[in-house]
């Protein structure tokens, strides 16, 4: 069973290497040419050294004088061979390195491009750590054997040349070579088979140690407030200890095989000298030929190791390639159309939901997806504000995602200005509609970069205009460097409300005609939130006013809406103005009242606990 598995890994690994050669044939040819040149020069140097000993050194010892012509010729030959070996090494290493790094860069781009093509539902089924590993360490692992591959190919050519040279020189010495070379190969194969699972386990444990460390650091607030420092340290120490033991196992195996791999060519050289001395006495070979063969054995040990390096890396390469192909072969991308809305129009857009049904894809393909939305239909008229209200799990965030086409409905149509969003070009949809998500994300960059995102036409004036509309210009102006202030990873130097206002300004800077707010002001003071929404309704970032779809919880926010859509279990239960629903829909009245009481309790608690979170991660507005 084990041997079958090894053969399977070998076959799949060679297929991966074949894929690399097909994608980069010219660069591979350059690298192999350099490697073959190096190998040929190694074999040639052995015979030149033999001739130098036989034709220059031995006669000089016998006669007591040096033949300068022969010495000059020998030195010139050795110098030329050395130059050609350097050229071969340069071509091999440059070609192999260029090929490896080019493949890695190309596949990182392919994986990243595929991530952006796949729908949000696919990302929900895959952990962030796995996706990062696919684009980084898995790509590196897949193409790691490329570095020694040209050397290994050149080594094969060199070995064939060496064996042929041995037979031309003397059949008895050739038999010694035929015994030593297969032994080297067998030893390399045995070494690779035993090393591969150890390396795979060490690689897996490296990922686990990194994952535990990242999780502990990212959850430092929870770890410290729950008093779990000792337990987390012990968990990390346990996995780090396993990694230590795995690496020791790798080192122990290398310590056993490395001396054997170094000793075998030495034993071959000794055997050549013994057999060669006997053949020399018989007159079958000359001193020059004996020296050439002995020297050849001493220089072949290291190149032969290149084949072992490739074999040892194949299991890791296959594992990385399988994980990369899983991403590249994933299905479910969301193709865009080529319809474009009027780019010159500044009028608010009309958003329409018609008979929308939606279910997220299950984690396992054979299981049915749970329905999230059923027969949902409503309209956000141009220039109006519509509030989505409903209990947790009623589908509000899904509606927000559908509005900007993060996901597509199972059936029904989402339209902007009468055009199905699936028919819109990607850039036209992005320029028309903007989503401010429930959890604000801030890049580790300046305020300016976070708002503008390097989009064309968004200069400092547009950034300040968006900040004013988001009620964020005051705190930004008070920052040490204003727009040039670095906000830290995920905006750790800002409060929760400041991060929300910054991400709102980012959306407004693009002057969207449709704004979707998914509980995007929950950490903002209610008075500030009311000012933001009032400004959006009246000005629309300097225009006639954007259409707004807002997922709302606070009574003050809901009261600003022209219409309220009340959802329960993925269906529209009622719609109308806030006072009407409050008076006629008991479930709506109970929910809004509960939200209002929670807000009162929150404000009361904040009175006693007024803090400014710089690095604590607490979501409290300044």
């Amino acid at each position: 069973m084990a041997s079958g598995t090894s053969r399977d890994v070998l076959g799949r690994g060679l297929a991966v290497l074949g894929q690399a050669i097909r994608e980069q044939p010219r660069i591979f040819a350059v690298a192999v040419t350099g490697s073959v040149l190096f190998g040929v020069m190694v074999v040639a140097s052995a015979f030149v050294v033999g001739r130098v000993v036989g034709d220059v050194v031995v006669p000089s010892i016998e006669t007591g004088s040096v033949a300068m012509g022969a010495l000059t010729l020998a030195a010139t030959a050795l110098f030329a061979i050395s130059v050609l070996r350097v050229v071969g090494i340069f071509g091999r290493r440059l070609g192999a390195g260029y090929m490896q790094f080019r493949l890695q860069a190309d596949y990182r781009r392919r994986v990243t491009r595929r991530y952006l093509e796949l729908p949000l539902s696919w990302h929900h089924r895959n952990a962030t750590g796995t996706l990062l590993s696919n684009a980084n360490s898995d790509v590196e692992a897949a193409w790691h054997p490329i570095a020694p591959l040209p050397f290994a190919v050149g080594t094969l050519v060199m070995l064939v040349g060496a064996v042929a040279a041995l037979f031309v020189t003397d059949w008895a010495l050739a038999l010694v070579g035929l015994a030593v070379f297969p032994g080297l190969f067998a030893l390399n194969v045995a070494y690779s088979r035993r090393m591969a699972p150890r390396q795979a386990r060490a690689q897996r444990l490296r990922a686990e140690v990194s994952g535990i460390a990242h999780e502990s650091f990212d959850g430092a607030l929870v770890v410290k407030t729950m008093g779990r420092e000792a337990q987390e340290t012990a968990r990390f120490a346990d996995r780090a200890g396993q990694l230590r033991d795995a690496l020791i196992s790798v080192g122990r195996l290398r310590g056993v095989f490395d001396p054997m791999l170094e000793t075998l060519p030495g034993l071959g050289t000794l055997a050549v000298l013994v057999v060669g001395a006997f053949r020399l006495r018989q007159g079958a070979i000359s001193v020059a030929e004996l020296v050439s063969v002995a020297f050849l054995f001493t220089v072949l040990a290291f190149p032969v190791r290149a084949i072992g390096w490739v074999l040892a890396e194949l299991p890791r390469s296959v594992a990385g390639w399988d994980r990369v192909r899983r991403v590249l072969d994933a299905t479910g991308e969301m193709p865009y159309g080529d319809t474009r809305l009027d780019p010159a129009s500044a009028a608010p857009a009309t958003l329409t939901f018609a008979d929308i049904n939606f279910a997220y894809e299950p984690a396992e393909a054979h299981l049915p997806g749970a329905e999230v939305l059923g027969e949902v239909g409503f309209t956000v008229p141009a220039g109006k504000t519509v509030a989505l209200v409903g209990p947790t799990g009623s589908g509000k965030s899904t509606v927000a995602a559908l509005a900007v086409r993060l996901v597509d409905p199972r059936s029904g149509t989402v339209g902007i200005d009468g055009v199905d969003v699936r028919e819109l070009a990607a850039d036209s949809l992005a320029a028309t509609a903007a989503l401010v998500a429930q959890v604000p994300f801030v890049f580790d960059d300046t305020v300016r970069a976070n708002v503008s995102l390097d989009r064309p036409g968004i200069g400092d004036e547009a950034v300040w205009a968006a900040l004013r509309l988001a009620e964020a210009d005051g705190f930004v102006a008070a920052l040490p460097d204003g727009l040039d202030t670095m906000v830290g990873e995920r905006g750790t130097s800002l409060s929760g409300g400041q991060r929300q206002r910054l991400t709102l300004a980012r959306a407004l800077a693009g002057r969207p005609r449709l704004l979707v707010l998914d509980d995007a002001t929950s950490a903002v003071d209610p008075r500030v939130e009311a000012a933001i929404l009032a400004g959006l309704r009246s000005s629309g970032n300097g225009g006639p006013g954007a259409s707004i779809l807002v997922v709302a919880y606070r009574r003050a926010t809901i009261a600003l809406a022209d219409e309220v859509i009340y959802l329960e279990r993925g269906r529209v239960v009622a719609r109308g103005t806030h006072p009407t629903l409050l008076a006629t829909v008991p479930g709506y009245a109970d929910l809004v009242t509960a939200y209002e009481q929670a807000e009162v309790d929150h404000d009361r608690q904040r009175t006693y606990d007024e803090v400014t979170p710089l690095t604590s991660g607490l979501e409290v507005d300044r």
Side-chain angles (χ1 to χ4, degrees):
M1 185 70 176
S3 61
T5 302
S6 299
R7 286 194 297 270
D8 179 62
V9 171
L10 177 62
R12 293 166 63 197
L14 293 177
V16 175
L17 298 181
Q19 177 71 23
I21 295 171
R22 286 192 296 273
E23 293 197 20
Q24 304 290 336
R26 294 181 181 178
I27 301 175
F28 181 72
V30 170
V32 169
T33 300
S35 182
V36 170
L37 177 61
F38 171 80
V40 171
M41 290 302 104
V42 167
V43 176
S45 66
F47 287 92
V48 170
V49 168
R51 292 296 300 273
V52 169
V53 173
D55 298 345
V56 178
V57 176
V58 172
S60 298
I61 294 174
E62 292 175 348
T63 62
S65 62
V66 178
M68 294 306 298
L71 182 61
T72 302
L73 182 62
T76 302
L78 289 174
F79 178 77
I81 288 175
S82 299
V83 170
L84 291 176
R85 285 180 65 176
V86 169
V87 171
I89 293 172
F90 179 78
R92 183 194 78 220
R93 291 188 174 180
L94 181 64
Y98 193 76
M99 181 179 178
Q100 181 183 36
F101 297 138
R102 187 168 181 173
L103 282 167
Q104 289 175 353
D106 181 44
Y107 272 81
R108 283 194 180 98
R109 287 192 294 267
R110 293 190 193 186
V111 169
T112 302
R113 188 184 308 118
R114 192 62 183 154
Y115 285 162
L116 299 177
E117 292 171 348
L118 290 167
L120 202 59
S121 56
W122 185 87
H123 289 267
H124 289 161
R125 300 193 306 271
N126 293 273
T128 302
T130 300
L131 302 185
L132 292 173
S133 176
N134 292 152
N136 187 28
S137 61
D138 290 340
V139 169
E140 287 185 1
W143 304 123
H144 198 70
I146 296 302
L149 179 61
F151 196 10
V153 174
T155 296
L156 290 175
V157 175
M158 181 174 61
L159 288 177
V160 172
V163 172
L166 288 175
F167 273 103
V168 170
T169 302
D170 183 66
W171 64 268
L173 296 179
L175 292 179
V176 175
L178 289 180
V180 172
F181 292 152
L184 280 172
F185 275 113
L187 197 59
N188 270 289
V189 170
Y191 172 71
S192 301
R193 286 186 176 182
R194 286 163 176 76
M195 179 62 78
R198 288 171 169 81
Q199 286 184 328
R201 183 169 185 270
Q203 187 69 17
R204 176 177 59 80
L205 287 170
R206 283 191 184 96
E208 291 180 8
V209 168
S210 177
I212 292 174
H214 180 272
E215 191 175 52
S216 297
F217 301 154
D218 211 33
L221 177 64
V222 176
V223 172
K224 295 184 73 66
T225 55
M226 295 296 177
R228 303 295 295 175
E229 296 95 332
Q231 289 78 5
E232 282 298 301
T233 301
R235 186 164 73 106
F236 180 83
D238 175 68
R239 204 55 52 90
Q242 293 182 40
L243 175 60
R244 174 204 61 208
D245 295 341
L247 293 175
I248 289 175
S249 177
V250 169
R252 186 182 296 118
L253 184 66
R254 184 173 287 123
V256 171
F257 273 89
D258 277 359
M260 296 171 63
L261 289 169
E262 294 292 338
T263 301
L264 191 57
L267 293 176
T269 303
L270 181 61
V272 164
L273 292 175
V274 172
V275 174
F278 177 74
R279 298 289 289 170
L280 186 63
R281 280 200 304 270
Q282 291 181 330
I285 61 173
S286 65
V287 172
E289 290 172 331
L290 176 59
V291 171
S292 296
V293 173
F295 182 79
L296 188 61
F297 270 82
T298 62
V299 298
L300 282 179
F302 176 71
V304 170
R305 295 291 301 276
I307 300 173
W309 296 334
V310 173
L311 294 176
E313 291 296 334
L314 285 185
R316 182 184 172 200
S317 174
V318 168
W321 177 251
D322 287 345
R323 289 191 288 267
V324 170
R325 289 306 317 176
R326 185 184 68 85
V327 176
L328 298 180
D329 295 338
T331 58
E333 66 271 18
M334 297 170 60
Y336 287 88
D338 53 12
T339 302
R340 297 181 180 276
L341 300 175
D342 184 4
S345 175
T350 298
L351 174 66
T352 305
F353 279 69
D355 300 323
I356 295 297
N357 292 279
F358 180 84
Y360 283 106
E361 295 181 21
E364 299 181 35
H366 65 279
L367 297 176
E371 186 179 69
V372 179
L373 299 175
E375 303 301 325
V376 170
F378 65 89
T379 298
V380 179
K384 301 296 183 180
T385 298
V386 172
L388 280 177
V389 180
T392 301
S394 59
K396 302 183 297 299
S397 292
T398 302
V399 170
L402 284 163
V404 294
R405 211 194 168 205
L406 292 180
V407 293
D408 280 336
R410 188 169 57 185
S411 63
T413 303
V414 179
I416 297 179
D417 286 346
V419 180
D420 191 328
V421 293
R422 288 170 288 201
E423 299 176 2
L424 289 174
D427 56 346
S428 182
L429 177 60
T432 302
L435 169 70
V436 184
Q438 196 170 18
V439 179
F441 182 83
V442 179
F443 295 94
D444 185 10
D445 209 328
T446 64
V447 172
R448 177 188 291 104
N450 268 284
V451 175
S452 69
L453 294 183
D454 291 329
R455 289 172 287 182
I458 302 180
D460 284 1
E461 184 177 346
V463 169
W464 280 114
L467 289 171
R468 281 193 296 273
L469 196 56
E471 296 288 329
D473 57 320
F475 83 79
V476 171
L479 292 174
D481 298 312
L483 293 180
D484 294 313
T485 301
M486 297 293 295
V487 298
E489 185 178 3
R490 298 191 181 186
T492 53
S493 64
L494 305 176
S495 70
Q498 289 173 338
R499 289 197 294 271
Q500 284 192 334
R501 282 180 277 172
L502 197 61
T503 55
L504 177 59
R506 176 193 299 159
L508 294 173
R511 302 178 64 86
R513 298 166 53 215
L514 171 66
L515 189 62
V516 182
L517 306 176
D518 184 9
D519 190 27
T521 53
S522 59
V524 175
D525 185 279
R527 293 181 296 275
V528 176
E529 181 187 40
I532 292 172
L533 293 177
L536 294 176
R537 282 166 54 89
S538 63
S539 66
N541 196 23
S547 305
I548 301 173
L549 176 64
V550 55
V551 175
Y553 294 90
R554 292 171 175 168
R555 183 191 290 259
T557 307
I558 299 169
L560 290 171
D562 298 292
E563 184 181 22
V564 178
I565 305 296
Y566 179 54
L567 295 175
E568 280 188 0
R569 297 180 181 179
R571 282 171 167 72
V572 177
V573 176
R575 67 182 69 197
T577 63
H578 171 61
T580 300
L581 296 185
L582 201 60
T584 59
V585 182
Y588 176 81
D590 292 343
L591 184 67
V592 172
T593 301
Y595 285 149
E596 188 174 29
Q597 183 59 48
E599 189 66 31
V600 170
D601 293 341
H602 176 72
D603 289 342
R604 184 180 297 116
Q605 178 64 33
R606 187 159 51 184
T607 302
Y608 292 102
D609 189 23
E610 199 68 47
V611 295
T612 300
L614 291 176
T615 57
S616 65
L618 297 174
E619 300 296 311
V620 180
D621 186 32
R622 286 183 178 172

